[in-house]
Every structure is written in C-alpha cells, then in structure tokens.
Amino acid sequence: MKPEIIQELNAIVGEENLYTTLEDLYCYTYDASFIKADMKNIAGVAVYPGTTEEVSKILTLANREKIPVVPRGAGTNVSGGSVSIGDCIVLVLKRMNKILEIDRKNLIAVVEPGVITGQFQREVEKLGLFYPPDPASLAVSTMGGNVAECAGGPRGVKYGVTRDYILGLEVVLPTGEIMTTGGRTIKNVTGYDMTKLFTGSEGTLCVVTKIIVKLIPLPEAKSTMMAVFSEIEQASETVSEIIAGGLVPCSLELLDNIYIKNIEEYAKVGLPIEAGAVLLIEVDGDSEILAKQIGKIEQICRRLGAVQIRVATTKEEAEDLWLARRSAFASVSRVKPTIIGEDATVPRSQIPVAVRRIQEIAAKYNIIIAILGHAGDGNLHATILTDEMDQEEALRVEKAIEEIFVLTVELGGSLSGEHGIGRAKSKFIALQTGEIGLEVQRRIKLALDPNNILNPGVMFGA
C-alpha cells in the first residue's frame, strides 16, 4: 500500500483506528471458513471507521485508486467472504456498534452494523419484543454481517431469516455515494426492492451502515423436547410428517450419531450416544396451546419409531438441550483438524433422500460426513471432517463436495441456505443460477461497482 494512501486513510479514521503491521493484518487472512490463511493475501491496511461519512470517504478513495475493499464484521463468516486479498483495504465495522432506536409503537429498531446480534436480541426482549433470526454465532456475529449473508438459524422454520426482518438500510455504494432503501413502514413498494437486493449480497454491492429491522411481540412461552431414533431415516421422515401435519415448531433440529457421540463427550448434556439420530424440537406461543402442540408432535415421533421422548420440564433442562446443539461444531473439531460445514438446503420432503445420498457419497469417497441441520426448513449441514494436510484425502473431499452440490440442485434445493456463497463456493454458483442468471447478477455488480473494488472474487470467483 502506497504511503500516501495510508496517510489519507489515517486522516479519515485516525491513527488509533488504522492497522498496518504484519501481526495485525495476518488476523484478516482467515475467518470461520475452511479457507487457509495465506501470506499472499495479506491486506495493505485495516481501517475501523466510526461513521457513515468515514465509510463514504474510504470507498471514494478506494474507487479512485482502484484498491480492493473487503468489508468485515466479527469474522464469523463460514464461506470465505470476509478474508483479505493481497494489498486490499479491510474495512472493519465493529466500531459502529450502537442501537440507535427501539420504537415500541411501530415495532421497529434502528441499529448500526457492528451491533452484536445476541446483545440486540436481549435488549429488545427486555421490552417484551422479539427479533427472531438466530445464527449459531449470535453471541459474536454482527447485525451487519447477518444482513450481508442473510443469516438464518434454528428458528427459520417458523420465523424466516434475516431478510424477513429488514425494512430499510443505509448503505454506501462502491463509488462512495450514500443511499437509503426501504423505510420504517411495513408496506413499501416504491421502485425496485433494493433492500432485498442488498440483503444477502455478501459485501459485493455496498457497505451497510444502518439497519431498520422489524420486531414482533415476544412469544409468551415455549416448550422444548428431544426425540431419539435408532435410525436417521426415521428422524428424517418424522421431520416431513410434522410439517405435513400442519405443525410448525419454532425450531426443528436434526443431529446424527457422529454429532451425538461427540457432543456428549464434549459437553456432557445427557444425549444417548447409541442413538442413530435425535430431533431437538421447540414450540412457542400462548402457554395454553403448547402442551397440545407438543402432544401432537410426540404422537408423530412415536408413530415413526422414536424410542425415547424427553420433554424439558424446566428452563435449565431446555437450555441443556440447546447447549447440545450449539456445541455441535466445537465437538466434532476433535475428530479431524479440518471442518468443512456445507449448508445446502433441500425441500423438506426431500430430506430423507438427501440424508441417504450424502451418506452414500461419504462411503463412496471413504470420508467422514456428519449430518446436522435446521431440518424444519430443509437446511442440512453436511459437515466434512478431514485433514487439509492430507492431499490425497483433500482431492476426495473436493469430489464429494461437488457431488453434494449437484445432488442438492437435482432435488430442487439451494447451494446455500444461510452461509452464503463467498469465495468457497463461487465456482459452483452456476449449477443453481444457470449461466443467464449468473450473467444478470454480474451486470448488477458491474452497474454498482464498475471498478470491481468491493469484495472481488466473492460469489463470482476470480
């Protein structure tokens, strides 16, 4: 990075919010994805702006000089969308972390992108309000990152994902121009829906600097249960039957035996290690109807072969069950040093087929694939446990991943339900979009970012 560029950035954000040492910049060469840190991807500088105006000045400078910019929140991205590329500007938004407004009368809130998702949820819940999207990383991930990836989570089966709660945005375009989209109203059909376009755009079209979110009343009560199955096929069929029965839990999670055994060894929450699969199910709403809902779900589970049903009778028991789910990725990290967590999504009726075919792919390539997922919305996390240093195994893993993606599209599904395409999946995107669909997206990118400075390589590849 040229010294004069560093000086200009220093004048924008201040010396205390600018980092240029190798030790600091190395931290941005990786995120939570399996993409390896690489010295050739060391950024030229990392900057921490504090206002929209500072973001605008940085992007104006970068566009003028044609310097790549990689926006970044907490670095929890699992598709490689927030890793630096050589001599770029890493634009870290963590300083912009204020909850600007919570409006109880209109059921909205306005936040900056650096607000931690879990902290925001706790603040609105104090007022009897609810912001449902709950990515597994909510304790550390930021609202801006959630918008960029259109993050989901276990509650997606009933409540949807991030885009379903974004009413409006303030963004800075790659050229440095500031614009607003949407607004504070529930209904808004003025012009193209730019809010939806920017939500899930993975930092390729704009930098989000302000977010208007929709809130809903906090559910009065909830009830949590675990259903244990001897075979994963039984659990998969049960998911489809629960939904077909007109029951919509707020969470419906699937864990296979690999996950069960490792979670229990790691967290010791009382999971049955001999089980083929478990379903973690939560319903919420009026307290009077919860027992009826749980009862109907229990009947379906038993009819399809559940060998054990455990309904949490206290808040602590429920928290233990959800601790099991949130411990999932950490627990299997002990099996192999490299974890590749895919998030292909299929129609719910195709879950049994998808699970069976993924197991066949694992056997074909002699690799370990653990399965968990937000089964209620078809979002399966096929988790490949491998060692990236074993080059022969890495080749088998690459072939397996491609087959999983082809399978997903064949079943009418999506390459990503919530993680995004990033750099990790960019070479596969045309499997789903088709060449014409991909070309249209490239034209949108070119129209807003003519110099391709904003997160180049993400979604569209190099």
Side-chain angles (χ1 to χ4, degrees), residues 242-295:
I242 290 172
I243 301 299
L247 298 161
V248 185
C250 63
S251 300
L252 179 47
E253 299 289 290
L254 171 71
L255 297 167
D256 77 350
N257 180 257
I258 297 173
Y259 268 110
I260 292 167
K261 288 193 292 188
N262 282 282
I263 290 170
E264 185 57 27
E265 291 173 8
Y266 173 77
K268 298 192 170 35
V269 292
L271 295 184
I273 61 173
E274 73 285 352
V278 301
L279 293 177
L280 296 179
I281 306 167
E282 189 166 271
V283 296
D284 66 359
D286 293 340
S287 55
E288 294 84 6
I289 66 171
L290 292 190
K292 185 177 180 180
Q293 287 188 58
I294 284 288

Side-chain angles (χ1 to χ4, degrees), residues 178-345:
I178 301 169
M179 72 172 287
T180 58
T181 73
R184 300 168 69 95
T185 58
I186 298 300
K187 293 180 177 179
N188 187 336
V189 292
T190 304
Y192 292 128
D193 194 341
M194 302 299 290
T195 304
K196 289 288 194 295
L197 174 64
F198 291 142
T199 302
S201 61
E202 301 190 37
T204 62
L205 301 180
C206 67
V207 174
V208 174
T209 52
K210 202 172 291 179
I211 307 161
I212 304 173
V213 302
K214 177 179 72 174
L215 305 173
I216 61 176
L218 183 66
E220 180 182 312
K222 58 187 175 182
S223 183
T224 306
M225 65 177 284
M226 176 177 69
V228 181
F229 297 85
S230 56
E231 302 292 339
I232 193 170
E233 291 81 8
Q234 297 169 316
S236 301
E237 292 286 354
T238 301
V239 172
S240 298
E241 286 298 309
I242 290 172
I243 301 299
L247 298 161
V248 185
C250 63
S251 300
L252 179 47
E253 299 289 290
L254 171 71
L255 297 167
D256 77 350
N257 180 257
I258 297 173
Y259 268 110
I260 292 167
K261 288 193 292 188
N262 282 282
I263 290 170
E264 185 57 27
E265 291 173 8
Y266 173 77
K268 298 192 170 35
V269 292
L271 295 184
I273 61 173
E274 73 285 352
V278 301
L279 293 177
L280 296 179
I281 306 167
E282 189 166 271
V283 296
D284 66 359
D286 293 340
S287 55
E288 294 84 6
I289 66 171
L290 292 190
K292 185 177 180 180
Q293 287 188 58
I294 284 288
K296 288 183 177 180
I297 292 171
E298 183 175 343
Q299 288 177 6
I300 293 172
C301 290
R302 291 196 185 280
R303 177 163 55 84
L304 283 144
V307 295
Q308 179 186 342
I309 302 286
R310 175 179 157 195
V311 179
T313 57
T314 66
K315 183 179 178 181
E316 290 71 27
E317 282 186 57
E319 287 175 350
D320 281 345
L321 290 176
W322 285 111
L323 174 63
R325 172 61 181 85
R326 293 193 180 98
S327 301
F329 283 115
S331 73
V332 294
S333 65
R334 305 172 310 139
V335 178
K336 289 283 188 104
T338 305
I339 300 176
I340 303 174
E342 297 300 347
D343 78 317
T345 303

Side-chain angles (χ1 to χ4, degrees), residues 1 5-6 8-20 25 28 43-50 54-55 58-59 61 69-72 88-95:
M1 191 72 64
I5 300 296
I6 302 293
E8 198 167 342
L9 290 168
N10 184 69
I12 295 170
V13 299
E15 185 177 1
E16 68 278 12
N17 298 310
L18 181 145
Y19 299 88
T20 58
L25 296 178
Y28 306 108
V45 61
V47 292
Y48 283 60
E54 288 180 0
V55 173
I58 292 165
L59 289 180
L61 164 62
V69 176
V70 175
R72 187 176 173 109
C88 71
I89 297 171
V90 177
L91 186 68
V92 186
L93 296 156
K94 293 173 74 173
R95 279 182 64 213

